[in-house]
Amino acid sequence: MKQWQHAPVHILDEAGTYMVTAGTYKKQHLFNTPEKIQILHDSLIEFALEAKWELQAWAIFSNHYHFIAISPDNPENLSSFISKLHMVTAKIINQVDRITGRKVWFQYWDSQITFQKSYLARLNYVHDNPVYHGLVNEAEKYPWCSALWFLKTADTAFQNTVRSFKTDHLKVIDDF
């Protein structure tokens, strides 16, 4: 009999657009200062660029993050990209907190987005996630998400299209 899978299965067999969510161990708020969240934010952007994952949206919080990105031609490097992100940020946070051996990250979930309407709804969801979590009234005011970048770089028609998509029926792991 096959053993029960204790972690999400990561099937990355074709290039495309993916949504990724990751959480800290036991949902602990370990990135609990602006400086710590900034470390995670900057590391995500740096390592995505290094791994050739083109970020479309992101939202970084004290105990989890979400991002949407277009994969390189071979998306199989997602696990090494996420592993490096988690390893480096865990090491830094543990150094900052002067704690050795603390487990920082739990796991991550990924899903390929294959329908345009799903993509647009998920873009809206990730951009607006700081509002969903009650951190700000306007996502553009939250410095560790892509909402302000989206406002500055996307044309108005596309912004309006993305904002028009409802997110209440999306199945996104976000019970943090």
Side-chain angles (χ1 to χ4, degrees), residues 7-50:
V9 177
H10 303 288
I11 302 171
L12 301 163
D13 55 357
E14 64 182 75
T17 304
Y18 289 81
M19 181 168 177
V20 175
T21 297
T24 58
Y25 184 65
K26 296 185 178 180
K27 302 179 185 180
Q28 297 173 84
H29 295 271
L30 301 175
F31 295 87
N32 54 7
T33 66
E35 295 78 18
K36 291 177 187 177
I37 293 177
Q38 191 69 46
I39 289 166
L40 179 55
H41 175 271
D42 294 350
S43 297
L44 171 66
I45 292 171
E46 176 186 346
F47 298 146
L49 183 64
E50 181 181 286

Side-chain angles (χ1 to χ4, degrees), residues 17-19 54-59 66-70 113 115-130 139 145-147 149-150 154 158-159 161-167 170 172:
T17 304
Y18 289 81
M19 181 168 177
E54 185 182 334
L55 290 172
Q56 302 289 295
W58 61 89
H66 306 281
F67 71 80
I68 296 173
I70 299 171
I113 304 170
F115 297 100
Q116 184 172 1
K117 288 181 179 180
S118 178
Y119 170 69
L120 296 169
R122 289 169 192 276
L123 277 180
N124 191 24
Y125 182 85
V126 173
H127 289 312
D128 207 37
N129 210 243
C145 82
S146 53
W149 168 77
F150 183 66
F158 186 61
Q159 290 176 34
T161 298
V162 169
R163 284 194 195 115
S164 73
F165 277 81
K166 300 215 181 274
T167 60
L170 289 175
V172 176

Side-chain angles (χ1 to χ4, degrees), residues 8 19-23 27 64-66 106-111 122 125 129 132-133 170-176:
M19 181 168 177
V20 175
T21 297
K27 302 179 185 180
H64 74 289
Y65 64 80
H66 306 281
F106 178 54
Q107 58 189 355
Y108 74 94
W109 300 264
D110 61 75
S111 60
R122 289 169 192 276
Y125 182 85
N129 210 243
Y132 170 80
H133 286 292
L170 289 175
K171 292 182 176 145
V172 176
I173 295 171
D174 203 359
D175 61 343
F176 298 92

Side-chain angles (χ1 to χ4, degrees), residues 72-162:
D73 290 339
N74 182 352
E76 291 179 0
N77 72 342
L78 178 63
S79 62
S80 60
F81 155 35
I82 299 296
S83 292
K84 182 175 183 179
L85 174 66
H86 289 182
M87 181 183 64
V88 169
T89 57
K91 185 176 182 179
I92 293 170
I93 293 306
N94 282 340
Q95 286 175 343
V96 167
D97 291 343
R98 297 180 182 173
I99 296 173
T100 57
R102 174 178 60 184
K103 184 173 180 174
V104 173
W105 292 104
F106 178 54
Q107 58 189 355
Y108 74 94
W109 300 264
D110 61 75
S111 60
Q112 186 175 19
I113 304 170
T114 57
F115 297 100
Q116 184 172 1
K117 288 181 179 180
S118 178
Y119 170 69
L120 296 169
R122 289 169 192 276
L123 277 180
N124 191 24
Y125 182 85
V126 173
H127 289 312
D128 207 37
N129 210 243
V131 175
Y132 170 80
H133 286 292
L135 299 171
V136 290
N137 291 329
E138 298 172 13
E140 304 83 39
K141 293 182 179 175
Y142 187 75
W144 303 288
C145 82
S146 53
L148 182 60
W149 168 77
F150 183 66
L151 262 179
K152 290 180 176 181
T153 61
D155 65 53
T156 304
F158 186 61
Q159 290 176 34
N160 292 337
T161 298
V162 169

